């Protein structure tokens, strides 16, 4: 059932912080902010729009500065370089001033007009609400890998009430208290939110195809994010390595029995091809397990360097006012 934004909120209107990570989006920022400003006064008591420039190579920061000059509710944060979408989100979430934070992409795929749908669901005693598209807008392979990555993320988070995770989300800003001291270059904002609550849900929203530019998430980035989710915030791969070791120990014992029985019955043992295949299997398993250990060791090394999650270069500072 579609919810009429004008009649959606019957309780006291919440104050909203809209956090948008920006990367090479000079073509969409003007329209995005205009549509937000048209929607937000009707659904919030006060609001701010935080545009976090994540090392854009185009004129995005200049556009953000212009928007901040033209609209009191718009504030810009310019990061020193490109740190990644979730790092930029974390920066914006930590800068949010209002009781509810809404995060969305900068490419107009998340319509501002759908924000009331998220807020309506949030009022049903939830702390985090994801807006999941009714129809996935990307190519088949991208949809498959994206959904697989998000299902993996949901599994790692251990939240049984949600499987449809999206960058279009609304949550209670005080959840950030659960990760106030988090400091690492590897960031998955959804996992951090799960440290503060288990009341997650999702709701269907309209999502439109991208009109400008191309997605920054290709196959390799999706795979890389999957590895970060598994090895940065979970011990599942280590448990997998342990189980593989256990299973192949049993397999090795079974092979030993087979060789022993063959020798007793036939007076001979299997030849070189058999031996080579067994060595290959065990060597491959050992290398796989070592690779998992290496990933974890790399994460520990990364954290030991004390690299910052992000570094802010400049801001468009102003007093917070309603539009």
């Amino acid at each position: 059932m579609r919810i009429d934004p004008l009649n959606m909120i019957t309780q006291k209107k919440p104050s909203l912080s809209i956090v948008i990570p920006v990367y090479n989006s000079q073509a969409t920022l003007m329209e995005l902010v205009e549509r937000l400003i048209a929607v937000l006064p009707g659904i919030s008591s006060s609001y701010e729009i935080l545009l976090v420039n994540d090392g854009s190579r185009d004129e995005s920061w200049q556009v953000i500065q212009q928007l901040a000059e033209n609209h009191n509710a718009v504030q810009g944060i310019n990061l020193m370089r490109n740190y990644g979408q979730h790092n930029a989100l974390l920066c914006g979430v930590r800068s949010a001033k209002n009781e509810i934070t809404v995060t969305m992409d900068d490419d107009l795929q998340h319509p501002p007009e759908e924000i009331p749908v998220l807020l309506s669901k949030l009022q049903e005693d939830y702390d985090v609400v994801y807006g999941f598209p009714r129809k996935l807008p990307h190519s088949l392979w991208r949809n498959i890998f994206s959904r697989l990555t998000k299902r993996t993320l949901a599994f790692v988070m251990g939240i049984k009430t949600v499987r449809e995770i999206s960058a279009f989300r609304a949550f209670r800003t005080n959840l950030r208290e659960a990760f106030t001291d988090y400091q690492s270059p590897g960031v998955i904002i959804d996992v951090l939110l799960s440290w503060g609550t288990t009341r997650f849900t999702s709701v269907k929203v309209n999502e439109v195809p991208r009109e400008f530019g191309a997605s920054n998430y290709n196959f390799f980035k999706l795979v890389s994010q999957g590895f970060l989710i598994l090895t940065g915030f979970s011990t599942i791969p280590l448990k997998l390595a342990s189980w593989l070791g256990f299973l192949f120990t049993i397999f090795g014992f079974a092979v030993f029995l087979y060789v022993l029985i063959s020798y007793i019955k036939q007076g001979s043992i299997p030849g070189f091809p058999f031996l080579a295949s067994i060595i290959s299997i065990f060597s491959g398993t050992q290398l796989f397990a070592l690779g998992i250990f290496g990933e974890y060791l790399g994460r520990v090394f990364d954290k030991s360097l004390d690299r910052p999650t992000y570094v802010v270069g400049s801001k468009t500072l102003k007093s917070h006012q309603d539009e």
Side-chain angles (χ1 to χ4, degrees), residues 75-94:
Q75 297 190 43
I77 302 174
N78 188 33
L79 301 185
M80 292 286 286
R81 64 171 181 83
N82 179 259
Y83 290 91
Q85 182 185 33
H86 285 261
N87 300 61
L89 273 174
L90 181 59
C91 176
V93 169
R94 285 175 168 167

Side-chain angles (χ1 to χ4, degrees), residues 151-166:
R151 290 297 173 92
T152 302
L153 175 57
F155 179 72
V156 168
M157 289 164 59
I159 306 298
K160 296 181 179 180
T161 57
V162 64
R163 289 294 178 268
E164 311 296 353
I165 291 175
S166 166

Side-chain angles (χ1 to χ4, degrees), residues 132-319:
F132 195 75
R134 299 175 186 276
K135 182 179 179 181
L136 295 174
H138 305 292
S139 62
L140 177 62
W141 76 266
R142 165 70 193 279
N143 289 336
I144 292 173
F145 280 101
S146 178
R147 200 152 195 173
L148 179 62
T149 302
K150 290 172 181 177
R151 290 297 173 92
T152 302
L153 175 57
F155 179 72
V156 168
M157 289 164 59
I159 306 298
K160 296 181 179 180
T161 57
V162 64
R163 289 294 178 268
E164 311 296 353
I165 291 175
S166 166
F168 193 23
R169 54 176 88 76
F171 58 89
R172 304 188 190 281
T173 306
N174 61 4
L175 289 178
R176 66 187 176 189
E177 299 302 320
F179 47 89
T180 301
D181 298 324
Y182 182 81
Q183 185 74 14
S184 173
V187 179
I188 300 293
I189 198 73
D190 305 286
V191 177
L192 299 185
L193 290 172
S194 72
W195 293 356
T197 184
T198 58
R199 294 198 295 268
F200 284 72
T201 191
S202 61
V203 63
K204 295 289 185 181
V205 296
N206 291 323
E207 189 168 308
V208 298
R210 188 182 185 118
E211 294 184 10
F212 301 93
S215 173
N216 296 309
Y217 279 93
N218 53 33
F219 171 77
F220 295 104
K221 283 193 175 182
L222 287 173
V223 172
S224 177
Q225 188 176 52
F227 270 108
L228 173 60
I229 292 168
L230 287 173
T231 60
F233 299 93
S234 165
T235 59
I236 292 173
L238 287 176
K239 293 178 181 177
L240 174 62
S242 297
W243 275 104
L244 278 176
F246 175 71
L247 291 175
F248 275 93
T249 298
I250 296 175
F251 177 68
F253 182 72
V255 170
F256 170 74
L257 289 178
Y258 169 73
V259 171
L260 184 61
I261 293 171
S262 297
Y263 178 75
I264 293 172
K265 285 186 174 182
Q266 303 173 12
S268 64
I269 60 175
F272 176 76
F274 176 81
L275 182 61
S277 63
I278 294 300
I279 291 175
S280 297
I281 291 173
F282 280 91
S283 298
T285 306
Q286 289 173 344
L287 288 173
F288 176 76
L290 284 174
I292 291 176
F293 298 150
E295 283 288 330
Y296 279 93
L297 186 60
R299 303 293 178 200
V300 173
F301 175 72
D302 239 2
K303 291 184 179 180
S304 71
L305 293 176
D306 202 24
R307 289 168 53 200
T309 307
Y310 54 82
V311 177
V312 175
S314 57
K315 296 182 179 181
T316 57
L317 295 175
K318 61 178 73 175
S319 60

